[in-house]
Amino acid sequence: MATERTRLLIDAGTSRREICKRLAAIGEGGGRFDAILVSHEHSDHVAGLPALAKNLDAPVYVTRLTAPSLEWNGYEPKLETFQAGAGLVIGDIEIDTFTIPHDAIDPVGFCFRTQGVKIGLVTDLGYIPESIKFHLRGADLLALESNHDLEMLKVGPYPWSVKQRIMGRKGHLSNDVVCQYIRDEMDSATTTLALGHLSEHNNHPEIVRLGAEQALAGRSLFTKLVVAERGRPTEIFEY
Ligand SMILES: [Zn+2]
Ligand SMILES: [Zn+2]
């Protein structure tokens, strides 16, 4: 995300090449990044981190507990460690960090505030505890995971132990849980809802879209729904 003054990258789950290609495709290829923020150490969030941090020469913000688990392949990054739950300020962006329930060492979600706009970004969580609902209140843009369709997961190709992990309290959010959140809890301030982190094998963008549209219809809000498909950039959200 970026303001006129500050540019942040959150997670680096694919190769440096691919990330740079995607940034260039949305016109954000050149220039300096002020920071890379890391949510947790799973490879789909840090695979490109060593090469990217070196390439961008940007400081890496990561929790104190997650930091030792990151591999740097000989490169010495500028590490800025923080405690999960701490507030950060980078340039003109204020950032709230908060603990999320997921099977990683010390996973966090983020809310970004700048120029009167609030953006929530939360993926990789087994359920949505009250504390997270509280953090997400007032978000103008909410980017949330809608990881799997329960039926597809149950009949899908994963071994039972993996299925249990995904469905567990420290796994990932199902479409049903997200729809329930939209119906019962999502703040009416949220004008854009971007659903992402869709499972490749256990979900389909159209299922996510249909369910979320139905859930939103019950709210009579004018929330714009965007479903982020794997490997494809979403539109750019401007406020
Ligand atoms: Zn993930
Ligand atoms: Zn994860």
Side-chain angles (χ1 to χ4, degrees):
M1 71 161 290
T3 66
E4 292 83 43
R5 273 181 51 199
T6 310
R7 295 172 84 208
L8 307 178
L9 196 68
I10 299 99
D11 287 341
T14 173
S15 71
R16 178 193 66 79
R17 260 186 94 151
E18 184 62 27
I19 292 170
C20 290
K21 205 171 91 184
R22 291 186 194 180
L23 284 169
I26 57 166
E28 295 286 343
R32 176 185 58 90
F33 274 86
D34 296 277
I36 304 173
L37 283 82
V38 177
S39 64
H40 65 296
E41 75 282 7
H42 288 164
S43 66
D44 60 324
H45 296 260
V46 301
L49 184 63
L52 196 74
K54 187 175 175 183
N55 187 249
L56 297 178
D57 192 29
V60 176
Y61 286 70
V62 58
T63 76
R64 220 172 293 160
L65 296 176
T66 299
S69 67
L70 299 179
E71 301 269 350
W72 295 104
N73 307 333
Y75 172 64
E76 275 193 37
K78 289 177 231 148
L79 272 190
E80 297 280 352
T81 58
F82 61 92
Q83 190 156 358
L88 309 170
V89 180
I90 304 175
D92 59 353
I93 302 176
E94 289 177 51
I95 304 159
D96 300 323
T97 69
F98 47 90
T99 294
I100 56 175
H102 188 54
D103 56 356
I105 295 170
D106 189 25
V108 289
F110 302 103
C111 278
F112 305 90
R113 280 177 289 117
T114 184
Q115 298 163 22
V117 176
K118 178 171 173 176
I119 297 167
L121 174 59
V122 195
T123 68
D124 300 69
L125 65 170
Y127 68 105
I128 312 178
E130 289 303 317
S131 58
I132 294 184
K133 292 173 187 168
F134 176 79
H135 277 289
L136 298 182
R137 276 189 206 141
D140 299 283
L141 165 64
L142 172 57
L144 185 65
E145 102 165 325
S146 193
N147 178 256
H148 57 275
D149 174 83
L150 263 182
E151 291 310 311
M152 282 179 80
L153 177 65
K154 281 180 187 162
V155 301
Y158 290 173
W160 177 239
S161 60
V162 177
K163 293 181 184 182
Q164 274 182 314
R165 185 183 84 71
I166 293 171
M167 286 189 282
R169 296 277 279 180
K170 294 195 161 192
H172 290 276
L173 292 185
S174 70
N175 298 340
D176 289 350
V177 170
V178 170
C179 287
Q180 202 182 346
Y181 173 76
I182 295 171
R183 274 194 302 267
D184 302 339
E185 308 270 1
M186 194 183 77
D187 199 292
S188 56
T190 302
T191 49
T192 304
L193 174 65
L195 298 177
H197 208 293
L198 273 60
S199 164
E200 187 178 1
H201 300 291
N202 307 308
N203 212 349
H204 192 281
E206 282 313 305
I207 298 177
V208 176
R209 185 182 310 283
L210 265 174
E213 271 173 1
Q214 277 177 9
L216 279 168
R219 291 290 309 272
S220 49
L221 303 172
F222 295 96
T223 307
K224 176 179 171 160
L225 174 69
V226 176
V227 177
E229 300 189 24
R230 295 176 65 88
R232 268 200 224 169
T234 63
E235 62 193 88
I236 295 171
F237 303 107
E238 286 190 64
Y239 282 89

